Amino acid sequence: MEILTYAFMQRALIAALIVGITAPAIGIYLVQRRQSLMGDGIGHVALTGVGLGFLINSSSAWAGPVWIATFVAIAGSVAMELIRWYGKTRGDLALAMLFYGGMAGGVMLMNLSDAGSNANLSTYLFGSITTVSAQDMTAICVLAALVLAITVGLRRQLFAVCQDEEFARVTGLPVRLLNLLIAVTAAVTVTVAMRVVGLLLVSALMVIPVAAAQQISRSFAVTFALAVAIGIGVTVTGTATSYYVDVPSGATIVLFAIAVFVLFTLLAAPLARKRARAAAGGADGCTLEVPGSRAPADDVRV
Amino acid sequence: MEETSPPRSDHPVIALRGATASLGSRPVLRGVDLTVRAGEVVALLGANGSGKSTAVRSVIGQVPLTGGDLTLFGTPLRRFKEWHRVGYVPQRTTAAGGVPATVREIVTSGRLARSRFGLPRRADREAVHHALELVGMADRAKDSATALSGGQHQRVLIARALAVEPELLIMDEPMAGVDLASQEVLASALREQVARGTTVLLVLHELGPLEPLIDRAVVLRDGCVVHDGPPPEAVGQHALPGHDHVHPHADDTAPATLGTGLLS
């Protein structure tokens, strides 16, 4: 395994593993409340943060692009959550505005800065896992621990809020706070995954493993575990593949994830048939034996 | 701990006085008085758009009141924190979300009003099982909610509200789209709750199989109470067993229906 002897590949594989765990872990809640594309929106907003990071061009660890992107993404996701509360009527338009504004802002700021170039931009857009530095690793590990603590530790509460928000409010849970927590956690996950799959493909890793897992699972717990397992599987194999075959890591990971989705979809039909047979359990001939109909007694008289 | 009212105090469980509320620019409640005392079973009746759903949703704080006042168990809604005393069945056609979840997982979420941020204990699991048995869904506990029929979805939603072992049960059209067999199951589950002294407020489009349980009916029309007393007798053909109440209500409902269709 010569792949493991290079420090940059060790970092790449660990980063991939972390993203494989965290992205589906928060993604499942977004899918549950039917906001699969929220990750995409946050990704666009985070680009402005990356641009800002380059413009400031500070060398201190706490003002690097990853951290600034995190703060801007959090601000953007909180803004989206506020729009969801207060602007019910034209919420989708306001969100679209935020998406495109974030993208345009990122490109603009990046070009204004000295360090920014198109090549630099594309490493954030599409990911560049082998350039993850030791400094990035610290940030990624700290943020991932936070994401995991929230998504696993508060799974019952987050499940209730994402399943039926109105009902959750009547149970007395702090629904607004939990919604904000989901938004912030999603934003943090986007910036964690940014270097691995890129901002444009982050959302794929939040949604596709969940979509694949729910093809064959019946419970939330199994869907969660399976989605994380798929996430780990595709990110690690995708990263290893990109080392051996020299293809971009982000695109490889996403294509692997889609392959898993297709495979699980194909498996779903026979599995459902098998479960149906097991449930029927020898209840053959459930149609009632109907006695022969009576013979007509007489003609119709008017 | 300030003035925690004992379960059977002389406070009414729900006291809504002069309540006004509007959705957008349209007034939906125009001074509604509604008092529900401990142990009572009260049905809110009315045509589509009469404000009955809004009245119930304002009781649980989902629709803000623009005027009047509301107390739950003697505590003003703003300061009310004891949500574990309230079980709520929202108006839904499905219990499923965007990700598969088992019947037990959904019903367990109703228990959060008691367990909150703590770990689920044995009492929680037992309450969930008991709630599932009450609605006759214990054998489907491990099944995915997406595989259920309409009536079974409704039974799951009711089990979720019962899991918290509420003193007050609020149900918004629990019989909508439910077949006769499920209606019977729900009626017997409700009968058991009432026998245990649970207070019930339910929104109904018609009395149906729950009629014998109901102590009092409050009829709303255009956001005003037009009847508060014993359930109105069905007359003529409406009183026949098996009569299905399907005809549309006349005149005043047309614009109102448009209004609530968006929010109910």
Side-chain angles (χ1 to χ4, degrees):
Chain A
M1 292 296 273
E2 55 143 339
I3 181 172
L4 294 174
T5 58
Y6 298 104
F8 77 93
M9 273 318 287
Q10 288 170 4
R11 281 198 298 271
L13 285 171
I14 293 171
L17 182 75
I18 287 173
V19 170
I21 296 170
T22 51
I26 184 66
I28 193 168
Y29 298 108
L30 300 180
V31 174
Q32 194 190 7
R33 63 176 193 189
R34 302 176 202 279
Q35 283 188 309
S36 314
L37 294 179
M38 185 163 173
D40 231 353
I42 298 171
H44 283 60
V45 174
L47 195 64
T48 296
V50 172
L52 201 62
F54 273 101
L55 192 62
I56 294 169
N57 196 20
S58 161
S59 52
S60 92
W62 287 88
V66 172
W67 286 105
I68 294 192
T70 306
F71 295 131
V72 172
I74 288 174
S77 66
V78 168
M80 280 187 230
E81 196 53 40
L82 293 177
I83 288 169
R84 210 164 70 85
W85 289 347
Y86 296 111
K88 275 177 190 162
T89 40
R90 307 302 300 176
D92 60 327
L93 282 184
L95 286 181
M97 225 68 92
L98 213 56
F99 288 14
Y100 308 135
M103 190 68 154
V107 173
M108 182 65 83
L109 290 172
M110 193 79 101
N111 272 292
L112 288 178
S113 75
D114 303 329
S117 64
N118 280 339
N120 231 330
L121 178 68
S122 92
T123 67
Y124 284 94
L125 281 182
F126 301 108
S128 165
I129 199 167
T130 49
T131 61
V132 173
S133 66
Q135 199 186 77
D136 289 336
M137 277 310 287
T138 321
I140 288 176
C141 287
V142 169
L143 294 175
L146 187 75
V147 170
L148 213 58
I150 289 169
T151 53
V152 176
L154 292 176
R155 62 188 181 282
R156 287 183 205 88
Q157 291 75 19
L158 297 180
F159 170 84
V161 169
C162 295
Q163 184 78 14
D164 190 337
E165 200 173 309
E166 183 180 334
F167 177 81
R169 257 183 252 134
V170 182
T171 61
L173 283 176
V175 171
R176 289 193 165 188
L177 199 68
L178 289 170
N179 270 330
L180 276 180
L181 200 62
I182 291 175
V184 169
T185 310
V188 168
T189 310
V190 164
T191 47
V192 166
M194 170 170 81
R195 299 305 299 269
V196 178
V197 286
L199 288 171
L200 289 184
L201 296 177
V202 160
S203 193
L205 215 46
M206 289 181 164
V207 174
I208 300 172
V210 179
Q214 70 180 22
Q215 297 299 314
I216 60 167
S217 69
R218 288 181 292 186
S219 73
F220 185 81
V222 171
T223 310
F224 192 108
L226 206 52
V228 169
I230 294 170
I232 295 172
V234 297
T235 48
V236 172
T237 54
T239 308
T241 306
S242 75
Y243 169 80
Y244 289 114
V245 196
D246 191 29
V247 284
S249 58
T252 314
I253 290 169
V254 172
L255 289 177
F256 277 3
I258 289 177
V260 172
F261 173 79
V262 171
L263 185 72
F264 276 36
T265 309
L266 294 177
L267 276 177
L271 195 69
R273 263 201 302 275
K274 198 174 152 208
R275 276 178 186 157
R277 255 201 311 276
D284 39 2
C286 76
T287 305
L288 205 67
E289 292 289 330
V290 183
S293 62
R294 62 181 181 156
D298 203 347
D299 279 341
V300 176
R301 280 167 301 191
V302 184
Chain B
M1 293 294 274
E2 36 141 28
E3 53 149 0
T4 44
S5 37
R8 290 285 173 269
S9 66
D10 29 321
H11 286 305
V13 175
I14 300 173
L16 189 64
R17 278 181 223 94
T20 57
S22 46
L23 300 176
S25 58
R26 197 174 63 87
V28 183
L29 301 182
R30 303 187 297 174
V32 170
D33 293 302
L34 175 67
T35 308
V36 180
R37 277 172 286 275
E40 264 190 317
V41 181
V42 175
L44 258 183
L45 301 168
N48 290 335
S50 57
K52 55 191 195 303
S53 249
T54 308
V56 156
R57 286 162 56 88
S58 73
V59 166
I60 49 161
Q62 297 289 309
V63 174
L65 290 180
T66 50
D69 59 55
L70 166 66
T71 62
L72 287 179
F73 296 99
T75 312
L77 181 72
R78 223 162 4 91
R79 289 193 286 121
F80 185 74
K81 293 276 183 290
E82 304 167 298
W83 287 107
H84 60 87
R85 300 173 81 175
V86 182
Y88 175 55
V89 181
Q91 194 177 4
R92 293 269 185 284
T93 51
T94 171
V99 169
T102 62
V103 167
R104 181 183 284 127
E105 282 174 327
I106 291 171
V107 173
T108 304
S109 71
R111 191 69 189 172
L112 281 171
R114 280 193 194 272
S115 63
R116 284 296 171 85
F117 291 96
L119 286 173
R121 279 184 290 262
R122 194 170 155 187
D124 296 318
R125 280 189 289 274
E126 277 168 4
V128 167
H129 184 72
H130 182 64
L132 281 168
E133 275 183 338
L134 272 176
V135 299
M137 291 290 287
D139 57 325
R140 305 293 303 268
K142 287 180 183 164
D143 284 5
S144 173
T146 46
L148 302 178
S149 71
Q152 289 169 334
H153 276 284
Q154 204 58 251
R155 289 201 236 169
V156 170
L157 294 175
I158 290 172
R160 183 175 67 174
L162 294 179
V164 76
E165 295 166 307
E167 293 164 47
L168 167 64
L169 189 57
I170 297 177
M171 305 201 272
D172 196 348
E173 301 243 17
M175 296 300 188
V178 175
D179 57 68
L180 208 61
S182 285
Q183 287 197 12
E184 293 297 335
V185 173
L186 295 184
S188 76
L190 197 60
R191 193 172 295 120
E192 194 160 328
Q193 287 302 304
V194 173
R196 287 176 43 189
T198 309
T199 311
V200 182
L201 172 65
L202 67 170
V203 169
L204 288 176
H205 192 64
E206 56 187 337
L207 289 168
L210 297 180
E211 188 177 355
L213 289 171
I214 291 163
D215 298 319
R216 195 152 59 86
V218 175
V219 181
L220 291 184
R221 186 174 174 188
D222 282 338
C224 299
V225 176
V226 293
H227 171 93
D228 189 342
E233 291 282 329
V235 288
Q237 209 195 3
H238 295 247
L240 293 176
H243 170 74
D244 199 12
H245 188 81
V246 289
H247 64 82
H249 290 267
D251 54 82
D252 56 349
T253 58
T257 315
L258 284 175
T260 43
L262 294 169
L263 266 142
S264 59

